[in-house]
């Protein structure tokens, strides 16, 4: 198993390298650069001053030299410095990633628990009013883009009802407290979780229906097992195998979705950092984010495979 | 002496797409302690549904037990609550299913699947259940039983899996073991091994057995009496030797005809019963077998023949049962 994981990581390295090249090119093909993004059009700046600043940041060098420099630094564990603030990119990521992980983790946890339970109930009560209701909820959830859902939630719960704050992670000017933090987490977490819940629910339902009439389920009933044991131990253990793949894939989608949701809710995570880096043409920060997301994809896939082989002995790696 | 199991007028129906499937249409039989019974019939004759009804394994929708009673040790199984029937299933009545490839849970180790019923019904703890599970596997002739408890079903062959299923059935020392075509999915040599194993275990443990099969030849050597089912009805019921010697229903006769023999020459076509199995959606007005029966007369199409005594301990549902006594039989063929 360990060799398998190591091999998978090694195979992924060239892929990550390729991703960084593509993103580096794309980021530099955008019109404007970091220096132009810094200055306001109201206060024109001397052309030679702009040149000087571009030279200081290395922006006048050919692209392949710039990329080579970035890669060289990366090998030494240095992600570079933000063009805008001069802050080390590594530190920017490390300080912001807990917020993103909190948001992602909570919504993933909620959507897995809710999705699996609702999907199972929906399958067990197939064609009942409850099943139709959940199906409607599921399709609605899948169809609404999360940024739109986020705005609706802000409008209803933050602006109209004033139950939850509109943005941020804690109330400004107060000391950190978990209660306050969770209140801020609620709306963005809900926006991210709802879509995922619908997806997991639909897949769980289909999967449970597929195995519910299998022979081994009948065997379990013939042994006199209670309905709970039949469902939890015999049906779900088999039905959740395909759902695990869906959860694994959705990890990456969730990471991408967090960018949008963090922007809408001004959640100070890595996604918000990424969006502002793009508008400021801050390519070291952009590259840092891309590297992190490439790792997220890699880890998500690896995790899926490991969990998969753990729940399904038939594909267990020797 | 009271019977171990007494089934009276059992009726089970399935409902789908606004049609009703008449799967079991009022069957009655008895079984004594330690006795073995074969229920024989073609696919769709209601033989499996008949026994699954007893164990509460017919689920609504789409199926429902609609009438009759099934007295097991004096208690009507059909009237038990779900939690009461769960105490009988696996404990006093155990069932071995047709396809050992799919009847074991693919993602759970067999030790756990075996131990499950021991822990529930016998109040054993995990360790005790594993010890007993190993004993059971050894009992059904699985080599290195104790080392294999952590293995998964896919690591066993088909015959081994059926042995595991049988071990599971025997786990709580039931007084009735129902074997639902346990050899159908296996090849012929393994079939013979499984049949021998069950016979041997019955002698050793003394439980009653209901053996469901579509193969009259297979059950010949191992049961005391035979019930022949067709279209959800019992058409003939007889002690095993009498049945083979002198079948008193044209359908049984047809089934016996269909058994190939070693003496048969290669070119000879295998004998079969002409016609199609009955459509269970239509309620019958006459004998269900009449459309395929070479002996059918006008009366057979008009009235359902009742199951009536035609000899000691035997019944037949045929208007012309008495006339069949003169027909050539195949007792010597087996």
């Amino acid at each position: 198993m360990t060799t398998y994981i190591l091999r998978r990581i090694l195979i992924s390295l060239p892929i990550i390298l390729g991703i960084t090249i593509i993103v580096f090119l794309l980021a530099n093909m955008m019109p404007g650069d970091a220096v132009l993004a810094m200055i306001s059009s109201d206060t024109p700046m001397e052309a030679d001053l702009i040149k000087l600043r571009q030279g200081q940041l290395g922006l006048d060098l050919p692209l392949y030299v710039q990329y080579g420099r970035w890669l060289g630094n990366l090998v030494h564990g240095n992600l570079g410095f933000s063009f805008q603030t001069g802050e080390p990119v590594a530190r920017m990521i490390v300080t912001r990633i807990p917020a993103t992980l909190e948001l992602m983790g909570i919504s993933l946890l909620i959507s897995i628990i809710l999705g699996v339970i609702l999907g199972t109930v929906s399958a067990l009560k197939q064609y009942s009013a409850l099943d139709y209701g959940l199906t409607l909820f599921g399709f609605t959830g899948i169809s609404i883009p999360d940024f739109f859902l986020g705005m609706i939630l802000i409008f209803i719960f933050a602006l109209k009802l004033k139950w939850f704050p509109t943005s941020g992670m804690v109330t400004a000017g107060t000391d950190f407290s978990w209660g306050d933090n969770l209140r801020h987490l609620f709306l963005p977490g809900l926006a991210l979780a709802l879509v995922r819940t619908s997806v997991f629910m639909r897949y769980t339902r289909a999967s449970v229906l597929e195995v519910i009439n299998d022979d081994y389920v009948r065997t379990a009933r013939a042994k006199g097992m209670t309905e709970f044991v039949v469902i939890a131990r015999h049906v779900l253990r088999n039905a959740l195998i395909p759902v695990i793949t869906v959860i694994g894939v959705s990890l990456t989608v969730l990471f991408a979705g967090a960018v949008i949701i963090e922007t809408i809710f001004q959640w100070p995570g890595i996604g918000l950092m990424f969006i502002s880096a793009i508008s400021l043409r801050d390519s070291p920060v952009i590259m840092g984010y891309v590297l992190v997301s490439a790792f997220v994809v890699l880890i998500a896939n690896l995790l899926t495979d490991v969990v998969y082989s753990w729940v399904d002995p038939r594909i267990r790696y020797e | 002496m009271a019977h171990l199991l007494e089934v009276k007028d059992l009726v089970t129906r399935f409902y789908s797409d606004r049609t009703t499937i008449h799967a079991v249409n009022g069957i009655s039989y008895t079984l004594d302690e330690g006795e073995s019974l074969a229920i024989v019939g073609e696919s769709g004759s209601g033989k499996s549904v008949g026994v699954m009804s007893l164990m509460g394994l017919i689920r609504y929708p789409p199926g429902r037990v609609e009438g009759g009673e099934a007295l097991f040790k004096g208690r009507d199984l059909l009237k038990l609550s779900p939690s009461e029937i769960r105490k009988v299933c696996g404990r006093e009545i155990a069932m071995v299913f047709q396809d050992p490839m799919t009847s074991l849970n693919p993602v759970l180790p067999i030790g756990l699947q075996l131990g499950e019923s021991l822990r529930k019904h016998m109040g054993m703890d995990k360790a005790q259940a594993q010890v007993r599970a190993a004993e059971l596997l050894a009992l059904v002739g699985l080599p290195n039983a104790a080392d294999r408890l952590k293995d998964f079903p896919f690591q066993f062959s088909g015959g081994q899996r059926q042995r595991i299923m049988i071990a599971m059935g025997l786990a709580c020392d039931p007084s009735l073991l129902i074997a639902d075509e346990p050899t159908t999915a296996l090849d012929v040599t393994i079939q013979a091994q499984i049949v021998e194993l069950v016979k041997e275990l019955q002698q050793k443990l003394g439980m009653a057995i209901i053996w469901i099969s579509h193969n009259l030849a297979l059950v010949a050597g191992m049961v005391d009496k035979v019930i022949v089912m067709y279209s959800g009805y019992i058409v003939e019921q007889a002690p095993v030797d009498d049945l083979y010697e002198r079948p008193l229903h044209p359908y049984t006769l047809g089934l016996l005809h269909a058994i190939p023999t070693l003496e048969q020459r290669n070119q000879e076509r295998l004998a079969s019963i002409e016609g199609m199995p009955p459509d269970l959606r239509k309620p019958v007005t006459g004998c269900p077998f009449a459309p395929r029966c070479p002996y059918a007369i006008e009366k057979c199409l008009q009235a359902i023949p009742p199951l009536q005594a035609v000899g000691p301990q035997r019944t037949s549902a045929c208007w012309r049962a008495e006339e069949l006594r003169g027909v050539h039989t195949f007792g010597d063929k087996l």
Side-chain angles (χ1 to χ4, degrees):
Chain A
M1 197 73 205
T2 323
T3 32
Y4 170 70
I5 295 175
L6 282 176
R7 203 168 67 216
R8 280 287 302 270
I9 292 175
L10 282 179
I11 292 171
S12 311
L13 285 180
I15 300 174
I16 291 184
L17 200 67
I19 294 171
T20 59
I21 292 176
I22 293 170
V23 174
F24 195 83
L25 290 178
L26 284 177
N28 283 285
M29 266 153 60
M30 287 191 296
D33 63 25
V35 179
L36 295 175
M38 269 183 251
I39 49 180
S40 145
S41 49
D42 302 335
T43 53
M45 216 174 165
E46 295 287 337
D48 49 345
L49 263 174
I50 294 177
K51 275 252 153 50
L52 177 71
R53 188 76 186 113
Q54 280 172 339
Q56 285 171 339
L57 294 175
L59 293 175
D60 53 348
L61 295 169
L63 270 187
Y64 64 88
V65 180
Q66 289 187 39
Y67 179 74
R69 275 187 172 183
W70 179 79
L71 197 63
N73 281 331
L74 182 67
V75 174
H76 292 101
N78 182 359
L79 284 173
F81 299 89
S82 164
F83 285 163
Q84 305 300 337
T85 62
E87 204 184 339
V89 173
R91 199 168 75 203
M92 289 174 74
I93 291 173
V94 169
T95 51
R96 281 168 175 80
I97 205 134
T100 299
L101 289 183
E102 182 187 7
L103 181 61
M104 271 179 74
I106 288 284
S107 37
L108 190 68
L109 197 70
I110 290 174
S111 52
I112 290 175
I113 294 173
L114 268 183
V116 168
I117 292 177
L118 293 180
T120 309
V121 169
S122 189
L124 295 180
K125 305 274 175 215
Q126 194 187 9
Y127 303 140
S128 66
L130 182 67
D131 181 30
Y132 285 124
L134 287 173
T135 301
L136 184 70
F137 163 78
F139 280 125
T140 315
I142 290 170
S143 314
I144 296 181
D146 37 23
F147 75 88
F148 187 64
L149 185 64
M151 292 193 293
I152 292 177
L153 290 178
I154 291 179
F155 181 75
I156 298 175
F157 293 104
L159 294 180
K160 289 288 161 199
L161 297 173
K162 298 194 191 306
W163 288 354
F164 297 98
T166 54
S167 64
M169 204 173 162
V170 284
T171 311
T174 61
D175 286 335
F176 180 88
S177 81
W178 278 110
D180 184 45
N181 179 228
L182 287 179
R183 246 166 53 81
H184 281 79
L185 180 62
F186 188 83
L187 288 183
L190 189 65
L192 265 184
L194 263 180
V195 183
R196 244 55 57 185
T197 303
S198 318
V199 174
F200 298 161
M201 184 184 85
R202 294 303 297 165
Y203 276 97
T204 306
R205 178 183 182 275
S207 195
V208 166
L209 284 177
E210 205 152 290
V211 302
I212 193 91
N213 288 318
D214 276 358
D215 289 346
Y216 55 79
V217 179
R218 189 182 55 188
T219 307
R221 291 210 171 98
K223 282 194 283 188
M225 294 297 121
T226 58
E227 205 52 27
F228 180 78
V229 172
V230 171
I231 299 300
R233 191 183 289 160
H234 292 273
V235 172
L236 280 184
R237 268 303 291 267
N238 283 280
L240 289 185
I241 294 171
V243 178
I244 285 168
T245 318
V246 178
I247 293 175
V249 171
S250 77
L251 266 180
T252 57
V253 182
L254 195 62
F255 192 75
V259 173
I260 313 284
I261 292 298
E262 282 179 9
T263 312
I264 292 174
F265 287 91
Q266 291 297 302
W267 186 264
I270 190 172
L272 188 60
M273 173 194 89
F274 176 59
I275 293 293
S276 50
I278 289 179
S279 54
L280 293 171
R281 305 290 184 271
D282 197 344
S283 72
V285 180
I286 296 175
M287 295 304 289
Y289 172 83
V290 168
L291 209 58
V292 171
S293 53
F295 268 111
V296 168
V297 174
L298 169 71
I299 290 168
N301 287 342
L302 202 58
L303 212 62
T304 310
D305 279 3
V306 171
V307 175
Y308 211 96
S309 67
W310 174 60
V311 293
D312 192 347
R314 287 165 295 187
I315 55 159
R316 203 161 284 175
Y317 236 79
E318 292 308 321
Chain B
M1 193 190 105
H3 300 293
L4 175 70
L5 174 68
E6 188 171 3
V7 177
K8 282 185 212 157
D9 300 317
L10 179 70
V11 177
T12 304
R13 296 205 173 112
F14 289 86
Y15 298 89
S16 75
D17 291 335
R18 282 180 220 145
T19 56
T20 306
I21 313 285
H22 301 260
V24 175
N25 302 305
I27 59 173
S28 307
Y29 57 90
T30 62
L31 185 70
D32 291 329
E33 303 247 359
E35 198 180 22
S36 57
L37 162 76
I39 302 181
V40 180
E42 60 194 19
S43 306
S45 60
K47 51 193 194 306
S48 295
V49 173
V51 290
M52 275 162 53
S53 304
L54 305 183
M55 299 188 70
L57 291 177
I58 302 295
R59 302 185 65 76
Y60 183 82
R64 197 157 59 189
V65 179
E66 304 222 310
E69 47 185 53
L71 298 174
F72 178 78
K73 294 184 175 172
R75 286 203 295 173
D76 187 354
L77 295 174
L78 305 181
K79 293 206 172 58
L80 295 183
S81 72
S83 74
E84 285 171 325
I85 192 92
R86 278 198 289 267
K87 287 189 189 111
V88 178
C89 284
R91 173 70 189 88
E92 296 185 84
I93 305 179
M95 194 156 173
V96 176
F97 293 98
Q98 185 167 355
D99 191 348
M101 299 298 170
T102 56
S103 293
L104 288 166
N105 192 327
V107 300
L108 299 178
I110 59 156
L112 189 149
Q113 298 191 54
L114 270 160
E116 224 174 24
S117 26
L118 291 167
R119 292 171 68 183
K120 177 181 164 137
H121 298 298
M122 312 299 269
M124 292 187 184
D125 64 26
K126 208 169 181 173
Q128 288 170 319
Q130 291 306 293
V131 171
R132 179 74 185 128
E135 286 171 14
L136 285 162
L137 289 178
L139 183 71
V140 296
L142 202 78
N144 306 327
D147 301 333
R148 305 216 57 184
L149 292 173
K150 288 202 164 62
D151 285 355
F152 292 90
F154 74 96
Q155 290 162 299
F156 295 89
S157 72
Q160 286 176 326
R161 287 189 220 183
Q162 198 56 288
R163 284 171 192 270
I164 295 168
M165 285 296 294
I166 293 172
M168 238 157 76
L170 298 176
C172 303
D173 201 8
S175 29
L176 171 60
L177 180 72
I178 299 174
D180 186 2
E181 304 209 38
T183 61
T184 307
L186 306 172
D187 61 68
V188 183
T189 45
I190 307 294
Q191 276 190 12
Q193 288 177 13
I194 295 291
V195 169
E196 277 310 310
L197 175 70
V198 175
K199 259 163 81 175
E200 198 186 298
L201 289 170
Q202 189 190 13
Q203 271 163 17
K204 209 183 283 181
L205 306 171
M207 70 274 188
I209 290 187
I210 296 181
W211 189 283
I212 295 172
S213 179
H214 59 252
N215 189 340
L216 259 180
L218 182 83
V219 298
M222 59 175 304
V223 296
D224 303 320
K225 59 183 186 184
V226 179
I227 286 174
V228 181
M229 282 188 72
Y230 185 81
S231 187
Y233 293 90
I234 292 180
V235 294
E236 184 167 10
Q237 189 169 2
V240 64
D241 293 337
D242 296 356
L243 186 92
Y244 287 97
E245 210 165 295
R246 199 170 297 281
L248 292 178
H249 193 282
Y251 179 61
T252 319
L253 203 60
L255 283 180
L256 288 171
H257 252 299
I259 299 171
T261 59
L262 284 174
E263 289 82 45
Q264 231 160 15
R265 273 177 298 142
N266 287 339
Q267 283 78 11
E268 228 173 298
R269 282 184 65 108
L270 292 172
S272 63
I273 299 174
E274 295 296 318
M276 295 288 287
D279 185 347
L280 297 170
R281 284 173 297 186
K282 295 184 190 126
V284 288
T285 49
C287 169
F289 187 58
R292 302 169 75 183
C293 179
Y295 304 96
I297 50 172
E298 199 54 34
K299 189 181 184 186
C300 302
L301 297 169
Q302 285 157 0
I304 302 176
L307 196 62
Q308 47 194 341
V310 288
Q313 294 171 40
R314 60 182 303 186
T315 51
S316 166
C318 178
W319 292 118
R320 304 182 69 189
E322 288 305 322
E323 296 169 55
L324 284 173
R325 284 190 193 278
V327 176
H328 173 67
T329 57
F330 300 84
D332 50 331
K333 196 164 128 179
L334 292 163

